[in-house]
Amino acid sequence: MTTSTASPPETQQTQAPTGEKKKSTGFKFKTYIPAVITGLWNTFKHILKLDGHKTFTLNYPEEKLPVKKGYRGEHRLKKDELGREKCVACFMCQTVCPSVCIRIIAEEAPWEDRDKRPAVFEIDMLRCIYCGMCEEACPCDAIELTETYNVVATNRHAKVYDKDRLLSN
Amino acid sequence: MPEFFLPLLTPILVFGAIMSLVPMLVLGERRIAAAIQDRVGPNRVGPNGLFQPLADVVKLLFKEEIVPAGVDKWMYFLAPALAFLPAAFAFTTIPVGRGVQIADLNMGVLFAITVTSLGVYGISLGGWSSNNKFALLGGLRSNAQVISYEICMGLALIGVLMVSNFFYDVEAGQTAAVVSSGGIVELQSGSIFNWNIFKQPLGFLIFYIAAFAENNRLPFDLPECEAELVGGFHTEYSSMKFAMFFLGEYIAMVTMSALTVTLYLGGWDPGFSLPEGFLGTLISIGAFVVKVLILLFIYIWVRWTLPRFRYDQLMGLGWKVLIPLALFNIFITAVVCLLMG
Ligand code: SF4
Ligand code: SF4
């Protein structure tokens, strides 16, 4: 009952302070009834949602919390205005990635404006820690993290996203 | 319909009704608990979660049945059945409507009280045979609790019987004791002010508090007390045997509510005079069901409001508060009866 920390003079005190003693022997405490009625009325207000109480639960798949700005979810590879992937296979993201989960194999680009493009671009989503370093490192603004957070799959292989999957995200 | 079939009809209907009420009660408990805690509760299975109890039962049926090493097999298997049968058995003497009663024994109320308290055998045998210290402690607590609160319950009951007999004397000029539950309800019918709760308010309070303790419901659920005893007496029970304990607890709740309604809230009396014939019977059954449902709601409501009592508080409340109050109640009733008659 005592809220004070045990300092030597207080621990030697045999009698509890009179104020507290009064509290624990009073009518309210002894009969329980006033406290019980207050409690019942309180929960009743919750049942009827009086006093501004409201249900906090969201029915998840149907209702979703709005995603906060800057949320880091699944990756997406961006496309330019011609529908080609923006990525030039510079390996910056692969280098910076702290969990080493990006795998890129480059090939020669068939287009005039760049030398290379990724033939294979895979991210192992199970190893990724969603830190967003790849997004920051990319010189061409080709990769970014979306707000998709319901990242589920039925096997591990499905969580290694290839280029098409990332482009369609 | 052949005549010999009629006596069978009432028991079948009554037990069918209780058995189908229990799943709804479980669902109701979960939904009300959710509402109190500002949650939603189970609402996925069927319309608005209505088939959730079905899913629960199927889940329990398919769970693995584990019999721990070292249990006393015979008692271990007997206990769940013992926890569940007495509660259902006590319903035989409760009048659920005008003239609808399985057996109007002339000591009906005593029978009901006696049989419901047998339910503790299931709990304590379950605790004893499980070969587990938590289960044993739960069973012991249940024993101590039922013994203490049975006394207040019996003493509160004496008040009701005194009042009933008093009015019986006045109206019929007879001196026979009214201990039959049908008779007690008859005496309360006619007007809402004939209900025993107005003649015995203190007795009602004591009886209802004792009913909570008798059913091991919060705030008196010391026998299963998750915080200290894991699961209490049913720690070692799994699958359908656990479900039997669960079922027993809820049926005991229904029975206790029905008994409280019978003794204090006028039984099947809706508070106005009933029309003759079948319609009147239907209305009386409806009134009974509504009253029982209200009491069951209070059970659930209290459970999700109050914290659990400490063991010494429980015993203190039983022996130092309720028993003296019950004696006081008998004294006052006797004095008033003496002055009036
Ligand atoms: S978010 Fe971080 S861990 Fe994931 S791929 Fe990008 S750099 Fe690697
Ligand atoms: S940093 Fe950007 S451009 Fe370079 S490989 Fe990664 S995604 Fe492609």
Side-chain angles (χ1 to χ4, degrees):
Chain A
M1 271 302 195
T2 50
T3 48
S4 59
T5 49
S7 58
E10 264 176 308
T11 43
Q12 281 162 11
Q13 208 173 0
T14 45
Q15 212 167 355
T18 43
E20 266 177 41
K21 198 148 195 212
K22 219 175 203 173
K23 211 177 184 183
S24 60
T25 51
F27 175 77
K28 240 182 154 172
F29 189 88
K30 270 281 154 96
T31 57
Y32 303 108
I33 290 176
V36 166
I37 290 172
T38 323
L40 285 175
W41 171 237
N42 187 14
T43 42
F44 197 65
K45 283 191 289 194
H46 279 270
I47 295 179
L48 296 186
K49 302 285 172 257
L50 302 173
D51 261 11
H53 294 300
K54 64 175 179 29
T55 309
F56 286 99
T57 316
L58 286 181
N59 288 305
Y60 166 61
E62 293 94 31
E63 303 167 20
K64 286 178 177 163
L65 275 179
V67 173
K68 293 264 163 52
K69 199 166 172 290
Y71 183 85
R72 299 195 296 270
E74 277 188 346
H75 305 69
R76 164 202 294 155
L77 282 179
K78 290 202 215 165
K79 293 178 186 167
D80 63 10
E81 52 281 1
L82 295 175
R84 310 170 302 183
E85 64 266 29
K86 272 177 156 184
C87 172
V88 294
C90 70
F91 291 87
M92 292 285 267
C93 53
Q94 193 195 51
T95 312
V96 77
C97 176
S99 50
V100 202
C101 60
I102 304 181
R103 188 170 81 99
I104 304 172
I105 295 174
E107 67 179 6
E108 199 156 315
W111 310 302
E112 287 301 305
D113 55 350
R114 64 191 76 161
D115 292 339
K116 291 194 292 179
R117 68 167 189 184
V120 174
F121 194 109
E122 282 178 2
I123 301 181
D124 187 344
M125 292 304 212
L126 291 177
R127 293 186 64 173
C128 174
I129 55 170
Y130 301 95
C131 63
M133 299 279 268
C134 46
E135 184 179 6
E136 272 180 46
C138 181
C140 313
D141 196 16
I143 189 166
E144 73 172 0
L145 271 61
T146 62
E147 293 176 345
T148 317
Y149 57 83
N150 48 348
V151 284
V152 286
T154 48
N155 62 57
R156 302 178 69 84
H157 301 297
K159 291 309 292 177
V160 180
Y161 284 9
D162 61 9
K163 194 169 84 174
D164 292 335
R165 178 77 175 79
L166 288 167
L167 279 168
S168 65
N169 239 359
Chain B
M1 201 182 298
E3 276 296 298
F4 65 87
F5 189 63
L6 268 174
L8 276 181
L9 198 62
T10 322
I12 291 173
L13 284 182
V14 169
F15 284 119
I18 305 171
M19 282 309 204
S20 43
L21 182 62
V22 167
M24 288 300 112
L25 192 56
V26 176
L27 178 67
E29 167 133 40
R30 293 177 68 182
R31 290 305 292 258
I32 292 170
I36 286 178
Q37 297 170 351
D38 290 339
R39 295 184 285 116
V40 174
N43 64 348
R44 292 287 155 151
V45 193
N48 231 337
L50 218 56
F51 299 146
Q52 182 68 37
L54 214 63
D56 289 346
V57 169
V58 171
K59 186 198 81 171
L60 280 168
L61 270 176
F62 281 99
K63 286 227 165 180
E64 189 186 354
E65 189 110 14
I66 298 168
V67 181
V71 301
D72 186 334
K73 280 261 170 57
W74 172 239
M75 284 199 216
Y76 183 78
F77 281 90
L78 192 67
L82 271 184
F84 147 80
L85 279 179
F89 197 35
F91 231 92
T92 44
T93 60
I94 289 170
V96 292
R98 190 178 60 190
V100 188
Q101 185 174 8
I102 297 173
D104 191 3
L105 306 177
N106 54 7
M107 41 78 185
V109 176
L110 296 185
F111 177 81
I113 290 274
T114 317
V115 169
T116 43
S117 51
L118 285 181
V120 75
Y121 275 98
I123 293 175
S124 50
L125 282 186
W128 174 256
S129 61
S130 294
N131 189 26
N132 176 317
K133 53 180 174 292
F134 295 120
L136 178 61
L137 279 175
L140 285 178
R141 282 181 176 189
S142 181
N143 271 334
Q145 184 171 321
V146 167
I147 288 171
S148 330
Y149 280 80
E150 195 90 313
I151 298 174
C152 338
M153 206 171 219
L155 290 177
L157 189 65
I158 289 177
V160 173
L161 298 182
M162 282 164 90
V163 165
S164 299
N165 279 306
F166 178 69
F167 281 93
Y168 195 62
D169 278 350
V170 169
E171 276 158 26
Q174 285 170 312
T175 46
V178 182
V179 194
S180 89
S181 37
I184 285 178
V185 174
E186 288 290 349
L187 284 172
Q188 294 179 68
S189 61
S191 145
I192 205 168
F193 294 105
N194 282 348
W195 294 3
N196 276 339
I197 185 171
F198 296 108
K199 300 171 193 159
Q200 291 276 311
L202 186 60
F204 171 74
L205 195 66
I206 295 166
F207 189 90
Y208 203 44
I209 293 175
F212 275 85
E214 184 95 356
N215 286 347
N216 302 324
R217 287 286 292 188
L218 264 162
F220 305 123
D221 72 334
L222 275 290
E224 52 175 293
C225 187
E226 302 89 348
E228 314 157 13
L229 295 185
V230 193
F233 61 93
H234 55 51
T235 308
E236 296 291 356
Y237 282 91
S238 53
S239 185
M240 231 18 226
K241 291 209 280 297
F242 170 74
M244 288 284 270
F245 273 124
F246 212 64
L247 196 66
E249 182 187 328
Y250 278 87
I251 291 185
M253 266 167 72
V254 178
T255 310
M256 257 318 159
S257 306
L259 199 59
T260 317
V261 167
T262 304
L263 290 177
Y264 288 99
L265 298 175
W268 44 258
D269 175 51
F272 49 85
S273 46
L274 286 165
E276 287 300 316
F278 189 59
L279 182 67
T281 311
L282 273 190
I283 294 177
S284 68
I285 294 177
F288 182 80
V289 170
V290 167
K291 287 181 205 172
V292 170
L293 286 182
I294 290 174
L295 286 194
L296 287 172
F297 171 74
I298 295 177
Y299 260 106
I300 295 170
W301 182 20
V302 166
R303 170 170 182 185
W304 296 98
T305 301
L306 300 183
R308 180 179 300 122
F309 271 51
R310 222 168 46 215
Y311 196 65
D312 60 320
Q313 288 174 329
L314 174 89
M315 286 295 154
L317 184 69
W319 290 95
K320 291 192 214 147
V321 180
L322 289 185
I323 291 179
L325 267 185
L327 287 172
F328 176 70
N329 183 43
I330 292 175
F331 176 71
I332 289 289
T333 313
V335 167
V336 170
C337 282
L338 209 64
L339 290 181
M340 279 173 72

